Amino acid sequence: KTAKAVFMVATIVENEVEKIWLADDNGGTVPTDLLYYSPSDKIFVYGKRFVLVIDATSNQILEKISLSYNSNGEDLNETTQYYPTIEQTEYLNYSNLTYNEDDDLIYCLSEDLGIYSINPTSYNVNYLYKLEDLCGNFTYKNSGIKYDKRLNRLYTWYSKIPYYGHLKVTDVTTNYSTVGLLTYSSDEIRGLELNEIANEFYISLNNRFLSIGFDPASDFHNNNITSTQIGSTYASSNTAGNLLYIKDNNHHKLFCFPTREIGSNQSFYMKNLTTGIVSAGTCPSGVTAACYNGSDKVYFSYKSTSGNADFRTINVNTLSTVGTDIDSRNSGISGPDYTLDMDMLNGQLIL
C-alpha cells in the first residue's frame, strides 16, 4: 500500500504552513523523526529505510542516505518487516536521530535496531553496534536513541509486543562499551529524557513515569540505581506516553503526556526539577509529539479525526491553554494523519 508522505515546516503563530513533499518513485516515505543541524542549516529526516538531508533555507533535498541494508548486510526487502506499524506504537513520539556535538556526529537508530553514526558534512555512515539481534518478522513496538553530552554516553531502547522494555547505555569514549542495562519484563519503555546537570534520567512506562538515579563511576544492570516514581499513577494502564525535558535559564522541568484513544481527556504532569513540585493539567489524549519554543510555551500534537483540531499550545508555567487549538493538517494528504515529531528552527515549528 503506497501512501504519499508529507514533511512540513509551519509558522504556528501565523497559522501558515509550508510543505516539503517527500514523494519519490517508490511512493516516498513517512518521516518519523527529524533533527535540525544548525552548523550548516540542514534538516535531517528519518524515513523508514533512509535519512533525507534537506536545505533548511531552500527546502531542497540535498542527499538521501540509504539504510536499505541491515547490520548483517542483508537486504531489508519488503517482506522483511521489523518496523512497527504506527498504530502499534500507539503514536508515541519516534526517536531515531540524536546529535553528538563534541564529535560532530549524528547517531541513527535504524529499522532493525542497528546503531549508526553519520557525518553531517560528508554523509559517511558507520555501523556501531546492534541493540538486539532480530530474527524473522520480529516486530517491536517502539524504540529510541538519545545522546548524553555531559557523560558522553548513548542511550538506546526498545519495547517488544506485548510488554517488555529494554534499555542499553554505552560509553562513546570506550568504543561504545556497555555501562548500563535495564529490563522491564511487564512494562514498555514509552519515553526517555536525560537530565543535563544531574546523574539521573527519566523514563515513562505503562502507567507511570520514573526518575532513575545512578553513579556514573559504576555500571548498572537492574541494580546500582535509585528508581523513584514521579507524581500519581495514571488510572488507566498503557496511558503514560511521551516525555519532554526543558532546561534553560528560566526553566528546568519535565513533562509527561498521555497516550490512549481519540476523544478522551487525560491528565498530563509537569515536575519542576528545581523545586521538586509536581503539577497536573488536562489535555486531549493521544499526544503524539511535543516541543518547547525556548521561551514560555510548549506545543503538542494529539490524535483526532480529519477536519478537527490536533494541535495545542500551553503556557509552560501555568499549564493553561494559550489561544485556540488548531488543525495543523491538510485534508488533501493521504496516509498517516498524525504528527509524529516536531522541533524548533529559528522561531518556526517543524512538523
Side-chain angles (χ1 to χ4, degrees):
K1 178 180 177 180
T2 299
K4 183 184 289 185
V6 64
F7 173 69
M8 297 188 295
V9 178
T11 307
I12 295 300
V13 174
E14 300 175 1
N15 291 348
E16 296 178 356
V17 175
E18 182 177 359
K19 296 182 287 288
I20 304 172
W21 291 94
L22 304 184
D24 59 20
D25 293 339
N26 296 317
T29 189
V30 176
T32 56
D33 197 17
L34 53 91
L35 183 149
Y36 176 57
Y37 179 70
S38 59
S40 54
D41 197 32
K42 299 173 184 175
I43 304 169
F44 286 74
V45 183
Y46 182 84
K48 183 176 179 182
R49 293 177 183 177
F50 52 79
V51 174
L52 289 177
V53 186
I54 297 175
D55 185 301
T57 301
S58 67
N59 296 342
Q60 297 301 305
I61 296 176
L62 303 176
E63 188 74 16
K64 181 178 180 179
I65 302 171
S66 176
L67 297 173
S68 61
Y69 291 86
N70 69 12
S71 52
N72 296 320
E74 300 167 345
D75 186 13
L76 289 176
N77 56 52
E78 289 303 318
T79 61
T80 306
Q81 177 65 32
Y82 294 127
Y83 215 54
T85 66
I86 294 174
E87 290 78 13
Q88 285 173 321
T89 68
E90 294 187 0
Y91 305 89
L92 293 170
N93 190 201
Y94 289 76
S95 178
N96 297 100
L97 301 170
T98 190
Y99 180 51
N100 176 347
E101 184 176 353
D102 293 333
D103 297 325
D104 194 29
L105 290 173
I106 293 173
Y107 295 114
C108 178
L109 174 63
S110 69
E111 174 185 352
D112 73 324
L113 301 183
I115 313 300
Y116 297 83
S117 65
I118 301 173
N119 184 304
T121 302
S122 67
Y123 309 132
N124 288 334
V125 180
N126 289 314
Y127 167 71
L128 301 177
Y129 63 89
K130 194 75 170 288
L131 180 56
E132 170 116 342
D133 287 323
L134 306 182
C135 300
N137 288 333
F138 174 102
T139 302
Y140 55 91
K141 189 163 187 176
N142 60 321
S143 60
I145 184 169
K146 293 274 187 180
Y147 174 68
D148 182 352
K149 62 183 178 181
R150 187 175 65 90
L151 296 176
N152 214 359
R153 293 179 170 185
L154 200 57
Y155 287 67
T156 51
W157 71 93
Y158 76 95
S159 294
K160 290 181 182 178
I161 299 173
Y163 298 119
Y164 174 83
H166 178 81
L167 167 69
K168 181 175 183 177
V169 185
T170 59
D171 187 336
V172 172
T173 65
T174 57
N175 197 29
Y176 303 97
S177 61
T178 300
V179 296
L181 285 173
L182 287 180
T183 57
Y184 295 90
S185 59
S186 58
D187 280 298
E188 301 160 1
I189 298 176
R190 307 166 74 81
L192 183 145
E193 289 285 1
L194 308 173
N195 193 310
E196 295 180 1
I197 60 174
N199 295 324
E200 64 182 25
F201 58 93
Y202 313 99
I203 57 174
S204 60
L205 301 175
N206 289 12
N207 67 340
R208 63 199 188 281
F209 63 121
L210 309 175
S211 168
I212 308 292
F214 64 96
D215 180 355
S218 303
D219 293 353
F220 59 87
H221 300 269
N222 280 82
N223 57 15
N224 297 332
I225 61 171
T226 302
S227 179
T228 305
Q229 182 170 307
I230 301 172
S232 301
T233 301
Y234 279 99
S236 301
S237 62
N238 305 329
T239 300
N242 296 305
L243 298 180
L244 175 65
Y245 175 81
I246 297 172
K247 175 69 176 74
D248 59 18
N249 292 332
N250 299 314
H251 306 289
H252 193 202
K253 298 178 177 181
L254 178 73
F255 285 78
C256 181
F257 291 100
T259 181
R260 297 291 282 182
E261 67 280 353
I262 296 173
S264 65
N265 287 328
Q266 297 280 348
S267 296
F268 69 89
Y269 297 99
M270 183 275 289
K271 180 176 182 179
N272 187 316
L273 296 174
T274 301
T275 66
I277 296 173
V278 178
S279 304
T282 302
C283 67
S285 191
V287 173
T288 60
C291 77
Y292 171 55
N293 75 341
S295 177
D296 59 354
K297 295 180 178 66
V298 168
Y299 303 127
F300 64 86
S301 58
Y302 55 90
K303 294 185 287 184
S304 73
T305 55
S306 295
N308 293 306
D310 70 333
F311 184 93
R312 177 172 293 186
T313 303
I314 61 173
N315 183 284
V316 72
N317 294 308
T318 65
L319 308 185
S320 59
T321 302
V322 178
T324 303
D325 290 11
I326 66 171
D327 182 356
S328 67
R329 300 161 298 190
N330 184 319
S331 59
I333 298 171
S334 61
D337 208 17
Y338 309 105
T339 296
L340 300 178
D341 194 24
M342 59 176 68
D343 200 356
M344 296 300 297
L345 189 165
N346 298 327
Q348 290 184 318
L349 184 66
I350 315 171
L351 302 174

